[in-house]
């Protein structure tokens, strides 16, 4: 019997669980579903988290993380993989080993280091493992400005700094880099500029800054959206552009839940695939 090819993208998210539902696995699955994909998950950590911060983190054993990835990909397959919070070197190495057994699937890596609340989500010792083991497997990495600064050792105070950081990150092995400008690069606080570099082409995405406290999970949501668009067959640069548009709409219509940095509206009108 010939197996039918699904008419929707199968997207695997490898990330931590956010009990508040605004980021991590929960945000990823909402995004994937809203954009017409079939979401699958490999949980790397469990957090006690809400809009005010991360109150506790429990890492999942690395062998369980890799087992989740392998059984999903061996049976269901995937058209794209999104990677978020990884927590430790052991988990990073386990994820890299699993991806090595399924190397044909495109990978979007969001190098999650610090939550919107400021809580640290990646051990310092794990950063070297992240750069060594996963950058080379990523079709795109999506650091924000502070993460890009930490990864490159460069302060990002201008757009030119961001371009140079993107070049450095590509030389570390990533297929392409999107440095998110929500934290600013020392330019006008009224505009947000995201910079993209794929080793040959530079492109910027600029828009007015949205005045909102509801930005919890923006990075998770963006990388999941890009993965879903990429898995549906869009070229990478188009997937990035569509993902940015989706996140802006989700921020603009956010429901203002909680007392801190609120979640996005992943089901925003007009964002269906």
């Amino acid at each position: 019997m010939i197996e039918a090819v699904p008419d929707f993208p199968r997207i695997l998210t490898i990330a931590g669980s956010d009990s508040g539902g605004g980021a991590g696995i929960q945000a990823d699955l909402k995004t994937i579903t809203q954009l017409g994909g079939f979401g699958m998950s490999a949980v790397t950590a469990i957090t006690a988290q809400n809009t005010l911060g991360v109150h506790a983190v429990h890492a999942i054993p690395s062998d369980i993380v890799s087992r989740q990835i392998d059984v999903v990909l061996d049976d269901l397959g995937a058209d794209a993989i999104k990677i978020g919070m990884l927590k430790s070197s052991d988990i990073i190495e386990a994820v890299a080993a699993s991806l090595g057994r399924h190397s044909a699937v495109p990978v979007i890596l969001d190098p999650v280091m610090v939550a919107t609340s400021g809580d640290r989500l990646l051990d310092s010792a794990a950063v070297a493992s992240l750069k060594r083991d996963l950058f080379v497997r990523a079709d795109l990495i999506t650091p924000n400005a502070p993460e890009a600064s930490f990864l490159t050792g460069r302060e990002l105070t201008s757009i030119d700094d961001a371009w140079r950081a993107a070049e450095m990150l590509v030389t570390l092995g990533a297929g392409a880099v999107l440095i998110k400008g929500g934290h600013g690069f020392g330019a006008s606080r009224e505009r947000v500029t995201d910079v993209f570099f794929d080793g040959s082409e530079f492109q910027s995405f600029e828009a007015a800054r949205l005045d909102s406290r509801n930005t919890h999970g923006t990075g998770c949501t963006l990388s999941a959206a890009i993965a879903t668009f990429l898995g549906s067959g869009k070229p990478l640069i188009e997937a990035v552009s569509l993902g940015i548009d989706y996140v802006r709409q989700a921020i603009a219509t956010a429901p203002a839940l909680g007392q801190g940095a609120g979640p996005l509206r992943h089901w925003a009108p007009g964002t269906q695939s």
Side-chain angles (χ1 to χ4, degrees):
M1 183 176 68
I2 299 176
E3 184 178 350
V5 176
D7 60 355
F8 49 83
R10 301 158 297 171
I11 311 299
L12 171 62
T13 169
I14 304 169
S17 169
D18 173 6
S19 55
I25 290 287
Q26 288 83 351
D28 293 346
L29 292 177
K30 292 172 188 177
T31 298
I32 294 163
T33 301
Q34 179 68 12
L35 297 178
F38 177 77
M40 304 163 288
S41 64
V43 181
T44 60
I46 299 169
T47 70
Q49 187 174 172
N50 57 22
T51 66
L52 298 174
V54 180
H55 302 271
V57 178
H58 174 72
I60 301 300
S62 59
D63 61 326
I64 299 300
V65 174
S66 60
R67 189 66 172 152
Q68 292 177 82
I69 297 168
D70 290 339
V71 298
V72 167
L73 295 180
D74 286 343
D75 179 36
L76 298 161
D79 298 297
I81 296 171
K82 172 261 166 82
I83 303 175
M85 177 185 176
L86 294 173
K87 183 57 180 170
S88 69
S89 296
D90 287 348
I91 292 175
I92 290 170
E93 291 165 8
V95 169
S98 288
L99 294 183
R101 294 188 284 272
H102 304 276
S103 57
V105 184
V107 173
I108 307 299
L109 171 61
D110 183 19
V112 178
M113 297 180 181
V114 181
T116 302
S117 60
D119 296 283
R120 193 67 181 265
L121 298 177
L122 184 67
D123 296 340
S124 297
V127 175
S129 296
L130 184 74
K131 293 161 73 171
R132 180 187 66 241
D133 299 326
L134 284 182
F135 277 24
V136 295
R137 302 192 183 281
D139 294 77
L140 174 73
I141 63 172
T142 62
N144 58 33
E147 289 163 346
S149 179
F150 189 85
L151 288 166
T152 61
R154 297 181 61 98
E155 186 177 1
L156 274 59
T157 59
S158 68
I159 296 296
D160 285 342
D161 290 336
W163 292 132
R164 286 191 285 270
E167 288 180 305
M168 290 178 66
L169 291 170
V170 166
T171 65
L172 292 175
V177 178
L178 176 71
I179 300 182
K180 299 169 291 191
H183 291 79
F185 301 122
S188 169
R189 298 298 296 173
E190 297 180 356
R191 308 289 295 177
V192 174
T193 302
D194 303 314
V195 300
F196 173 90
F197 180 59
D198 64 2
S200 59
E201 177 186 359
F202 287 101
Q203 183 158 336
S204 61
F205 301 87
E206 184 176 341
R209 182 177 297 276
L210 297 172
D211 183 15
S212 174
R213 69 173 178 88
N214 304 301
T215 56
H216 180 54
T218 50
C220 303
T221 300
L222 176 59
S223 53
I226 294 171
T228 306
F229 287 122
L230 187 64
S232 69
K234 304 291 187 186
L236 179 58
I237 192 68
E238 183 179 355
V240 168
S241 179
L242 290 169
I244 291 171
D245 289 345
Y246 169 73
V247 170
R248 287 185 60 81
Q249 183 70 2
I251 295 172
T253 59
L257 298 176
Q259 303 171 65
L264 313 185
R265 187 178 184 184
H266 296 94
W267 62 100
T271 59
Q272 294 88 349
S273 176

